[in-house]
Amino acid sequence: MSDAIKHECGIALLRLKKPLEYYKEKYGTAFYGVEKMYLLLEKQHNRGQDGAGLASIKLDVTPGERYISRIRSNQAQPIQDIFSQINARINEELEQNPEYRDNVALQKQNIPYVGEVFLGHVRYGTFGKNSIENVHPFLRQNNWMHRNLIVAGNFNMTNVKELFQDLVRLGQHPKQLADTVTVMEKIGHFLDDEVTDLYQECKNEGLSKLEASPVIAEKLNIARILKRASKNWDGGYAMAGLIGHGDAFVTRDPAGIRPAFYYQDDEIVVVASERPVIQTVFNVPFDKIQEITPGHALIIKKDGRVLDERVRDESVQKACSFERIYFSRGSDAEIYQERKNLGKLVLPAVLKAVDNDTDNTVFSYIPNTAETSFYGMVEAANDFLNQRKIASILERKDSLTEEKLQEILSVKLRSEKIAIKDVKLRTFITEDSSRDDMVAHVYDVTYGVIKPTDNLVIIDDSIVRGTTLKKSIIKMMDRLNPKKLVIVSSAPQIRYPDCYGIDMAKLETLVAFQAMLALLKDNNKYHLVDEVYAKCKAQEHKQDSEVVNYVNELYEQFTDEQISDKIAEMLTESSVKTEVKIIFQTVEDLHKACPKNLGDWYFTGNYPTPGGNRVVNRAFMNFYEGKDARAY
């Protein structure tokens, strides 16, 4: 993606089913869990670079011994930072206490993070400052083991104010108006309720508090806690949690917006935001890894039982399509094929733009995430070229000479690496005052392969703001003097804000929205903006379920191609001599390419939860009123 956007976080949960001595004997270390957590987080580094955290729980410890450990970092390399600190602490303990080296019991008793249950998180912040207080996992402490709660998630709630008021009505005094706080406190409240009810049952049966503790651990109904806590959650989430005595859970939103996968055998249960992470770290096949069912919770009890329980009512499945287009690791077998299909399906529009002249067209891509779509586009272009060769041969079959046949067969598709990204330079783009000049140099080009008679086709995975295209890519490609420059987006036009974890909260920053407004002005229809604002304002205080996305009415005034052409015009500065055409994937073909991830609200405005319509409503009013504010 040429326009950098921050996006959703990554979670990793690991439960060791065997005693630590087992891993020491089989794998040579009792730190097996720590080592695997490092890999699980590092393999999800693509999902978060603002912060990282790790928490662990030791099972069945003696009262007075520390059983919960947590570390978080918001340093430049947060994963390396937390694990370097953990390793330093482990090495220090082993050096000072040589008797720990071959004694797993002493290691567990005295060294932090030598436990059986782990929860890790990598963070990309979409709201608030990158302070250490915003880094997961979050910890809610209590002297009762069963009331300790650790939470980390990949989520964003659209109705934080409502959830906050729910807590106030429950008699709580939340310290902050943030979805992380409200979610944890909501789970914590019903966890307290459940523990209190179970203790009362034990007390009625004549059990002491000490005797009640293992009974509470066994009977604690995590599914019921999550049902009550998540009842009013509106958003996309994959929420993971640990309870102090050793229960663990991961729950997903009913629409399946945010991803979560798991694998279990007789040694481990592991959950991660991406399937290939589990495949790589534990060397398990694709078909052994399952997706946590949307609206369900995967619950791992202290005794090792794994439960799959529904905690939310069923919903239309709208898993995030951006996961497939850009965010997730392309090493996933399904995602790799889907990204290739995105490139294949957009080819007909590309061929139309170059008048089917593949002989005088060079195909390339914007590194690095568009590379797989590029392979798909080139495969489809080669198929087109081969069909044309066959037709040419059949047309001349009665007079075809060997020389002519060789000439036909020798024609090949031309593909080159034209755009070169200067990764090191990216880190210096910080201040707005110098951003434009710096952006202009983020990409360089390969000289000497484009002729003045050539069309140049460059595929990107998506176009959000268009800043890098305008300030860098188009200008750099223009230096090569192609006859025509065709910029291809493997994703459709991004028209609406996201509110479920991706950092696209403001309408006015989206180039498709800007192009639509420009077309309204060009066609003397800008009064419709006033009308839509009035409709949005009129429903400002309605319930979320009653709010309608009226911004759709503005886009309906124009065809997709009209908006695409306007985007091309807006992103092409007067100094550019080359003709520029911009092509976007269609929503229909996006669904063909990614049939399991039909969440398309950023392209269509069809939000999967009622809160989505309220967010786009607020985003439009913010734009109209000139407020530089987020819509949630």
Side-chain angles (χ1 to χ4, degrees), residues 1-2 366-367 419-421 440-445 468 472-473 476:
M1 181 180 291
S2 53
I366 297 172
I420 302 167
K421 189 174 184 180
H441 297 280
V442 167
Y443 287 88
D444 205 341
V445 290
T468 309
S472 179
I473 294 170
M476 296 300 290

Side-chain angles (χ1 to χ4, degrees), residues 386-403:
N386 288 336
Q387 290 299 317
R388 200 164 66 176
K389 288 179 181 179
I390 291 170
S392 183
I393 290 170
L394 291 176
E395 184 181 337
R396 296 173 173 82
K397 63 181 179 180
D398 295 331
S399 60
L400 192 63
T401 64
E402 182 178 346
E403 183 181 6

